Amino acid sequence: AVVQCRGGKEEAKERFIYNGIHNCESAQQLMGGSKACTYGCLRFGDCVKVCNFDAIRMNSNNLPEIDEKKCTGCGLCVKACPRSIITLIPKKERVYLACVSQNTAKTVKAACSVGCIACKICSLPKFTPSGGITMEGNLPEMHYDKEHAFEGALQKCPNKCFIKDPGELPE
């Protein structure tokens, strides 16, 4: 499992102060949550609460981190997230996209400093010659059946939206 959001408390702006029930599902139902990015992590850790393997924790930036060594890929965290920011990727893959926002560049920039701005650089044949990344609306889609390195996208993304080697959590 990987977390497809890097918009923590330092990177993502808030629209309002949320004083409701402290779980992601409740926050989502109240005007889509308090974050300016309506696609990003809601930060209440519903994914942590459902993990039976102690493989997820909330970091100091209020984002979930997954310990690859403990994660079994059961998918409970995927189901628990009302914004679908956690996904399962093949264990052998080392690069993934850490943003799920479908918004335009202007909207993304206004909400989050690390969100995907749909610049399309990652999908250019020059950087991903296999066609392993295509644009679906305003978001790159990774095709793991065509590519496994994604080094061009990793190096050229202006907002560093691609993450390499999720690996284990630091001690």
Side-chain angles (χ1 to χ4, degrees):
V2 295
V3 177
Q4 293 186 281
C5 179
R6 293 187 313 128
K9 63 184 176 185
E10 297 175 21
E11 298 82 12
K13 295 179 180 146
E14 297 286 329
R15 294 185 296 149
F16 57 87
I17 296 171
Y18 177 77
N19 288 320
I21 299 169
H22 283 217
N23 68 51
C24 299
E25 188 61 42
S26 296
Q28 177 66 21
Q29 290 181 19
L30 181 64
M31 296 174 46
S34 63
K35 280 179 87 170
C37 175
T38 57
Y39 291 91
C41 178
L42 290 159
R43 304 180 252 197
F44 289 111
D46 290 10
C47 53
V48 174
K49 295 169 192 159
V50 299
C51 182
N52 294 321
F53 303 96
D54 196 31
I56 308 174
R57 71 174 184 204
M58 296 302 285
N59 67 22
S60 60
N61 201 18
N62 284 354
L63 289 173
E65 288 183 345
I66 299 172
D67 186 335
E68 185 181 291
K69 286 188 174 183
K70 293 180 180 179
C71 179
T72 64
C74 71
L76 289 175
C77 56
V78 175
K79 292 177 188 167
C81 181
R83 293 222 173 144
S84 301
I85 64 144
I86 300 178
T87 191
L88 299 176
I89 63 171
K91 198 165 185 102
K92 66 181 178 181
E93 300 304 335
R94 304 317 307 165
V95 176
Y96 67 96
L97 180 66
C99 184
V100 296
S101 176
Q102 289 283 342
N103 285 324
T104 62
K106 182 178 179 181
T107 303
V108 169
K109 286 179 179 181
C112 181
S113 64
V114 294
C116 177
I117 56 172
C119 67
K120 301 180 180 150
I121 291 172
C122 60
S123 65
L124 295 174
K126 178 178 180 180
F127 302 116
T128 312
S130 68
I133 298 177
T134 57
M135 293 300 292
E136 301 296 325
N138 290 323
L139 198 62
E141 184 173 320
M142 299 177 74
H143 303 281
Y144 291 110
D145 58 327
K146 294 183 179 181
E147 179 83 29
H148 296 284
F150 298 105
E151 290 298 321
L154 186 68
Q155 298 301 317
K156 296 297 179 181
C157 179
N159 276 6
K160 306 295 182 207
C161 294
F162 291 91
I163 303 295
K164 183 174 184 175
D165 198 14
E168 64 190 73
L169 295 176
E171 293 298 320

mmCIF file of all heavy atoms in Angstrom, residues 10-43:
data_model
loop_
_atom_site.group_PDB
_atom_site.id
_atom_site.type_symbol
_atom_site.label_atom_id
_atom_site.label_comp_id
_atom_site.label_asym_id
_atom_site.label_seq_id
_atom_site.Cartn_x
_atom_site.Cartn_y
_atom_site.Cartn_z
ATOM 1 N N GLU A 10 1.845 21.324 6.530
ATOM 2 C CA GLU A 10 2.758 22.361 6.067
ATOM 3 C C GLU A 10 2.573 22.705 4.586
ATOM 4 O O GLU A 10 2.888 23.805 4.168
ATOM 5 C CB GLU A 10 4.203 21.941 6.332
ATOM 6 C CG GLU A 10 4.487 21.785 7.814
ATOM 7 C CD GLU A 10 5.867 21.251 8.111
ATOM 8 O OE1 GLU A 10 6.758 21.364 7.253
ATOM 9 O OE2 GLU A 10 6.064 20.728 9.225
ATOM 10 N N GLU A 11 2.072 21.770 3.801
ATOM 11 C CA GLU A 11 1.971 21.966 2.350
ATOM 12 C C GLU A 11 0.567 22.318 1.864
ATOM 13 O O GLU A 11 0.416 22.984 0.841
ATOM 14 C CB GLU A 11 2.419 20.690 1.611
ATOM 15 C CG GLU A 11 3.848 20.297 1.857
ATOM 16 C CD GLU A 11 4.053 19.522 3.158
ATOM 17 O OE1 GLU A 11 3.070 19.086 3.783
ATOM 18 O OE2 GLU A 11 5.220 19.359 3.544
ATOM 19 N N ALA A 12 -0.451 21.857 2.562
ATOM 20 C CA ALA A 12 -1.829 22.051 2.101
ATOM 21 C C ALA A 12 -2.551 23.088 2.960
ATOM 22 O O ALA A 12 -2.479 23.061 4.187
ATOM 23 C CB ALA A 12 -2.581 20.723 2.141
ATOM 24 N N LYS A 13 -3.246 23.973 2.308
ATOM 25 C CA LYS A 13 -3.984 25.024 3.006
ATOM 26 C C LYS A 13 -5.321 24.499 3.516
ATOM 27 O O LYS A 13 -5.847 23.513 3.031
ATOM 28 C CB LYS A 13 -4.208 26.197 2.051
ATOM 29 C CG LYS A 13 -2.916 26.852 1.642
ATOM 30 C CD LYS A 13 -3.150 27.976 0.680
ATOM 31 C CE LYS A 13 -1.790 28.577 0.328
ATOM 32 N NZ LYS A 13 -1.711 29.039 -0.999
ATOM 33 N N GLU A 14 -5.853 25.210 4.487
ATOM 34 C CA GLU A 14 -7.159 24.885 5.064
ATOM 35 C C GLU A 14 -8.203 25.885 4.572
ATOM 36 O O GLU A 14 -7.903 27.060 4.394
ATOM 37 C CB GLU A 14 -7.099 24.953 6.598
ATOM 38 C CG GLU A 14 -6.163 23.947 7.225
ATOM 39 C CD GLU A 14 -6.702 22.532 7.194
ATOM 40 O OE1 GLU A 14 -7.932 22.339 7.252
ATOM 41 O OE2 GLU A 14 -5.876 21.607 7.119
ATOM 42 N N ARG A 15 -9.435 25.407 4.376
ATOM 43 C CA ARG A 15 -10.546 26.283 3.997
ATOM 44 C C ARG A 15 -11.273 26.810 5.216
ATOM 45 O O ARG A 15 -11.833 27.891 5.206
ATOM 46 C CB ARG A 15 -11.552 25.534 3.122
ATOM 47 C CG ARG A 15 -11.016 25.121 1.784
ATOM 48 C CD ARG A 15 -12.077 24.484 0.912
ATOM 49 N NE ARG A 15 -12.534 23.234 1.525
ATOM 50 C CZ ARG A 15 -13.760 22.750 1.411
ATOM 51 N NH1 ARG A 15 -14.668 23.386 0.713
ATOM 52 N NH2 ARG A 15 -14.093 21.603 1.981
ATOM 53 N N PHE A 16 -11.306 26.008 6.287
ATOM 54 C CA PHE A 16 -11.982 26.404 7.517
ATOM 55 C C PHE A 16 -11.455 25.541 8.659
ATOM 56 O O PHE A 16 -10.763 24.549 8.432
ATOM 57 C CB PHE A 16 -13.507 26.269 7.399
ATOM 58 C CG PHE A 16 -13.990 24.884 7.036
ATOM 59 C CD1 PHE A 16 -14.231 23.920 8.015
ATOM 60 C CD2 PHE A 16 -14.231 24.545 5.706
ATOM 61 C CE1 PHE A 16 -14.685 22.654 7.676
ATOM 62 C CE2 PHE A 16 -14.681 23.281 5.362
ATOM 63 C CZ PHE A 16 -14.914 22.332 6.355
ATOM 64 N N ILE A 17 -11.782 25.920 9.883
ATOM 65 C CA ILE A 17 -11.383 25.137 11.054
ATOM 66 C C ILE A 17 -12.456 24.087 11.286
ATOM 67 O O ILE A 17 -13.636 24.416 11.451
ATOM 68 C CB ILE A 17 -11.209 26.029 12.297
ATOM 69 C CG1 ILE A 17 -10.064 27.019 12.069
ATOM 70 C CG2 ILE A 17 -10.947 25.177 13.540
ATOM 71 C CD1 ILE A 17 -9.949 28.082 13.141
ATOM 72 N N TYR A 18 -12.052 22.853 11.298
ATOM 73 C CA TYR A 18 -12.978 21.736 11.495
ATOM 74 C C TYR A 18 -13.009 21.359 12.971
ATOM 75 O O TYR A 18 -11.983 21.039 13.553
ATOM 76 C CB TYR A 18 -12.531 20.544 10.648
ATOM 77 C CG TYR A 18 -13.381 19.309 10.846
ATOM 78 C CD1 TYR A 18 -14.628 19.203 10.253
ATOM 79 C CD2 TYR A 18 -12.930 18.253 11.629
ATOM 80 C CE1 TYR A 18 -15.410 18.083 10.433
ATOM 81 C CE2 TYR A 18 -13.703 17.119 11.810
ATOM 82 C CZ TYR A 18 -14.936 17.035 11.218
ATOM 83 O OH TYR A 18 -15.718 15.915 11.383
ATOM 84 N N ASN A 19 -14.187 21.406 13.571
ATOM 85 C CA ASN A 19 -14.346 21.035 14.974
ATOM 86 C C ASN A 19 -15.327 19.881 15.135
ATOM 87 O O ASN A 19 -15.923 19.718 16.187
ATOM 88 C CB ASN A 19 -14.842 22.233 15.798
ATOM 89 C CG ASN A 19 -13.756 23.266 15.985
ATOM 90 O OD1 ASN A 19 -12.604 22.925 16.214
ATOM 91 N ND2 ASN A 19 -14.109 24.532 15.860
ATOM 92 N N GLY A 20 -15.473 19.088 14.091
ATOM 93 C CA GLY A 20 -16.415 17.977 14.131
ATOM 94 C C GLY A 20 -15.797 16.704 14.677
ATOM 95 O O GLY A 20 -14.741 16.715 15.311
ATOM 96 N N ILE A 21 -16.454 15.591 14.399
ATOM 97 C CA ILE A 21 -15.986 14.274 14.821
ATOM 98 C C ILE A 21 -14.646 13.997 14.154
ATOM 99 O O ILE A 21 -14.482 14.216 12.956
ATOM 100 C CB ILE A 21 -17.029 13.197 14.441
ATOM 101 C CG1 ILE A 21 -18.348 13.479 15.147
ATOM 102 C CG2 ILE A 21 -16.509 11.804 14.789
ATOM 103 C CD1 ILE A 21 -19.506 12.643 14.637
ATOM 104 N N HIS A 22 -13.699 13.512 14.914
ATOM 105 C CA HIS A 22 -12.343 13.307 14.410
ATOM 106 C C HIS A 22 -12.182 11.970 13.712
ATOM 107 O O HIS A 22 -11.488 11.078 14.205
ATOM 108 C CB HIS A 22 -11.331 13.485 15.538
ATOM 109 C CG HIS A 22 -11.086 14.913 15.873
ATOM 110 N ND1 HIS A 22 -9.866 15.396 16.231
ATOM 111 C CD2 HIS A 22 -11.904 15.983 15.857
ATOM 112 C CE1 HIS A 22 -9.940 16.691 16.440
ATOM 113 N NE2 HIS A 22 -11.175 17.062 16.223
ATOM 114 N N ASN A 23 -12.830 11.858 12.572
ATOM 115 C CA ASN A 23 -12.554 10.748 11.664
ATOM 116 C C ASN A 23 -12.757 11.239 10.242
ATOM 117 O O ASN A 23 -13.447 12.230 10.002
ATOM 118 C CB ASN A 23 -13.367 9.482 11.998
ATOM 119 C CG ASN A 23 -14.844 9.631 11.748
ATOM 120 O OD1 ASN A 23 -15.275 10.049 10.686
ATOM 121 N ND2 ASN A 23 -15.640 9.269 12.736
ATOM 122 N N CYS A 24 -12.100 10.575 9.325
ATOM 123 C CA CYS A 24 -12.068 11.039 7.932
ATOM 124 C C CYS A 24 -13.447 11.025 7.283
ATOM 125 O O CYS A 24 -13.802 11.954 6.550
ATOM 126 C CB CYS A 24 -11.099 10.171 7.122
ATOM 127 S SG CYS A 24 -9.399 10.235 7.729
ATOM 128 N N GLU A 25 -14.210 9.983 7.529
ATOM 129 C CA GLU A 25 -15.536 9.871 6.917
ATOM 130 C C GLU A 25 -16.435 11.027 7.333
ATOM 131 O O GLU A 25 -17.113 11.635 6.501
ATOM 132 C CB GLU A 25 -16.180 8.533 7.282
ATOM 133 C CG GLU A 25 -17.469 8.259 6.542
ATOM 134 C CD GLU A 25 -17.313 8.198 5.028
ATOM 135 O OE1 GLU A 25 -16.331 7.613 4.543
ATOM 136 O OE2 GLU A 25 -18.190 8.754 4.327
ATOM 137 N N SER A 26 -16.428 11.392 8.608
ATOM 138 C CA SER A 26 -17.247 12.516 9.089
ATOM 139 C C SER A 26 -16.777 13.832 8.488
ATOM 140 O O SER A 26 -17.586 14.659 8.061
ATOM 141 C CB SER A 26 -17.194 12.601 10.621
ATOM 142 O OG SER A 26 -17.762 11.446 11.182
ATOM 143 N N ALA A 27 -15.474 14.035 8.451
ATOM 144 C CA ALA A 27 -14.931 15.268 7.877
ATOM 145 C C ALA A 27 -15.286 15.379 6.400
ATOM 146 O O ALA A 27 -15.630 16.462 5.916
ATOM 147 C CB ALA A 27 -13.419 15.310 8.063
ATOM 148 N N GLN A 28 -15.215 14.280 5.677
ATOM 149 C CA GLN A 28 -15.553 14.277 4.255
ATOM 150 C C GLN A 28 -17.011 14.670 4.040
ATOM 151 O O GLN A 28 -17.334 15.400 3.108
ATOM 152 C CB GLN A 28 -15.276 12.891 3.643
ATOM 153 C CG GLN A 28 -15.664 12.754 2.192
ATOM 154 C CD GLN A 28 -14.852 13.622 1.246
ATOM 155 O OE1 GLN A 28 -13.746 14.063 1.560
ATOM 156 N NE2 GLN A 28 -15.398 13.877 0.091
ATOM 157 N N GLN A 29 -17.886 14.205 4.909
ATOM 158 C CA GLN A 29 -19.310 14.505 4.763
ATOM 159 C C GLN A 29 -19.640 15.956 5.083
ATOM 160 O O GLN A 29 -20.658 16.464 4.636
ATOM 161 C CB GLN A 29 -20.132 13.557 5.632
ATOM 162 C CG GLN A 29 -20.113 12.145 5.089
ATOM 163 C CD GLN A 29 -20.926 11.195 5.919
ATOM 164 O OE1 GLN A 29 -21.793 11.604 6.690
ATOM 165 N NE2 GLN A 29 -20.665 9.906 5.769
ATOM 166 N N LEU A 30 -18.786 16.624 5.833
ATOM 167 C CA LEU A 30 -19.011 18.031 6.157
ATOM 168 C C LEU A 30 -18.282 18.897 5.143
ATOM 169 O O LEU A 30 -17.097 19.171 5.266
ATOM 170 C CB LEU A 30 -18.528 18.366 7.576
ATOM 171 C CG LEU A 30 -18.749 19.813 8.009
ATOM 172 C CD1 LEU A 30 -20.232 20.141 8.069
ATOM 173 C CD2 LEU A 30 -18.093 20.060 9.336
ATOM 174 N N MET A 31 -18.947 19.263 4.103
ATOM 175 C CA MET A 31 -18.418 20.138 3.057
ATOM 176 C C MET A 31 -17.123 19.602 2.433
ATOM 177 O O MET A 31 -16.268 20.363 2.015
ATOM 178 C CB MET A 31 -18.196 21.560 3.603
ATOM 179 C CG MET A 31 -19.478 22.234 4.025
ATOM 180 S SD MET A 31 -19.260 23.834 4.831
ATOM 181 C CE MET A 31 -18.119 24.679 3.815
ATOM 182 N N GLY A 32 -16.937 18.309 2.437
ATOM 183 C CA GLY A 32 -15.759 17.719 1.812
ATOM 184 C C GLY A 32 -14.484 17.874 2.612
ATOM 185 O O GLY A 32 -13.392 17.726 2.078
ATOM 186 N N GLY A 33 -14.596 18.171 3.894
ATOM 187 C CA GLY A 33 -13.416 18.325 4.742
ATOM 188 C C GLY A 33 -12.883 19.745 4.708
ATOM 189 O O GLY A 33 -13.272 20.566 3.882
ATOM 190 N N SER A 34 -11.953 20.015 5.599
ATOM 191 C CA SER A 34 -11.457 21.384 5.762
ATOM 192 C C SER A 34 -10.304 21.754 4.829
ATOM 193 O O SER A 34 -9.991 22.924 4.676
ATOM 194 C CB SER A 34 -11.006 21.597 7.207
ATOM 195 O OG SER A 34 -9.924 20.740 7.514
ATOM 196 N N LYS A 35 -9.670 20.767 4.219
ATOM 197 C CA LYS A 35 -8.530 21.073 3.347
ATOM 198 C C LYS A 35 -8.970 21.779 2.075
ATOM 199 O O LYS A 35 -10.017 21.484 1.515
ATOM 200 C CB LYS A 35 -7.802 19.786 2.954
ATOM 201 C CG LYS A 35 -6.865 19.269 4.011
ATOM 202 C CD LYS A 35 -6.194 17.998 3.580
ATOM 203 C CE LYS A 35 -4.947 18.276 2.806
ATOM 204 N NZ LYS A 35 -4.157 17.042 2.595
ATOM 205 N N ALA A 36 -8.130 22.689 1.618
ATOM 206 C CA ALA A 36 -8.416 23.381 0.357
ATOM 207 C C ALA A 36 -8.369 22.399 -0.813
ATOM 208 O O ALA A 36 -9.095 22.556 -1.783
ATOM 209 C CB ALA A 36 -7.430 24.518 0.144
ATOM 210 N N CYS A 37 -7.518 21.382 -0.719
ATOM 211 C CA CYS A 37 -7.493 20.329 -1.731
ATOM 212 C C CYS A 37 -8.573 19.317 -1.376
ATOM 213 O O CYS A 37 -8.487 18.645 -0.348
ATOM 214 C CB CYS A 37 -6.134 19.616 -1.785
ATOM 215 S SG CYS A 37 -6.135 18.211 -2.918
ATOM 216 N N THR A 38 -9.560 19.214 -2.204
ATOM 217 C CA THR A 38 -10.675 18.314 -1.921
ATOM 218 C C THR A 38 -10.377 16.873 -2.330
ATOM 219 O O THR A 38 -11.268 16.032 -2.297
ATOM 220 C CB THR A 38 -11.956 18.806 -2.628
ATOM 221 O OG1 THR A 38 -11.701 18.916 -4.026
ATOM 222 C CG2 THR A 38 -12.398 20.145 -2.083
ATOM 223 N N TYR A 39 -9.145 16.601 -2.700
ATOM 224 C CA TYR A 39 -8.723 15.244 -3.055
ATOM 225 C C TYR A 39 -7.759 14.662 -2.027
ATOM 226 O O TYR A 39 -7.571 13.462 -1.954
ATOM 227 C CB TYR A 39 -8.037 15.232 -4.427
ATOM 228 C CG TYR A 39 -8.966 15.499 -5.570
ATOM 229 C CD1 TYR A 39 -9.168 16.792 -6.034
ATOM 230 C CD2 TYR A 39 -9.640 14.456 -6.195
ATOM 231 C CE1 TYR A 39 -10.022 17.041 -7.101
ATOM 232 C CE2 TYR A 39 -10.493 14.701 -7.254
ATOM 233 C CZ TYR A 39 -10.676 15.987 -7.700
ATOM 234 O OH TYR A 39 -11.534 16.234 -8.756
ATOM 235 N N GLY A 40 -7.091 15.493 -1.243
ATOM 236 C CA GLY A 40 -6.006 15.059 -0.369
ATOM 237 C C GLY A 40 -6.442 14.453 0.943
ATOM 238 O O GLY A 40 -7.619 14.439 1.306
ATOM 239 N N CYS A 41 -5.460 13.960 1.672
ATOM 240 C CA CYS A 41 -5.660 13.293 2.960
ATOM 241 C C CYS A 41 -6.378 14.214 3.945
ATOM 242 O O CYS A 41 -6.025 15.377 4.091
ATOM 243 C CB CYS A 41 -4.307 12.868 3.526
ATOM 244 S SG CYS A 41 -4.415 12.079 5.142
ATOM 245 N N LEU A 42 -7.365 13.661 4.630
ATOM 246 C CA LEU A 42 -8.129 14.412 5.620
ATOM 247 C C LEU A 42 -7.460 14.425 6.994
ATOM 248 O O LEU A 42 -7.889 15.131 7.900
ATOM 249 C CB LEU A 42 -9.544 13.846 5.718
ATOM 250 C CG LEU A 42 -10.389 14.145 4.473
ATOM 251 C CD1 LEU A 42 -11.540 13.172 4.364
ATOM 252 C CD2 LEU A 42 -10.876 15.579 4.495
ATOM 253 N N ARG A 43 -6.455 13.593 7.202
ATOM 254 C CA ARG A 43 -5.554 13.631 8.353
ATOM 255 C C ARG A 43 -6.101 13.139 9.688
ATOM 256 O O ARG A 43 -5.552 13.454 10.736
ATOM 257 C CB ARG A 43 -4.989 15.025 8.542
ATOM 258 C CG ARG A 43 -4.287 15.549 7.341
ATOM 259 C CD ARG A 43 -3.762 16.903 7.601
ATOM 260 N NE ARG A 43 -4.559 17.867 6.856
ATOM 261 C CZ ARG A 43 -4.192 19.089 6.610
ATOM 262 N NH1 ARG A 43 -3.055 19.526 7.043
ATOM 263 N NH2 ARG A 43 -4.955 19.904 5.943
#
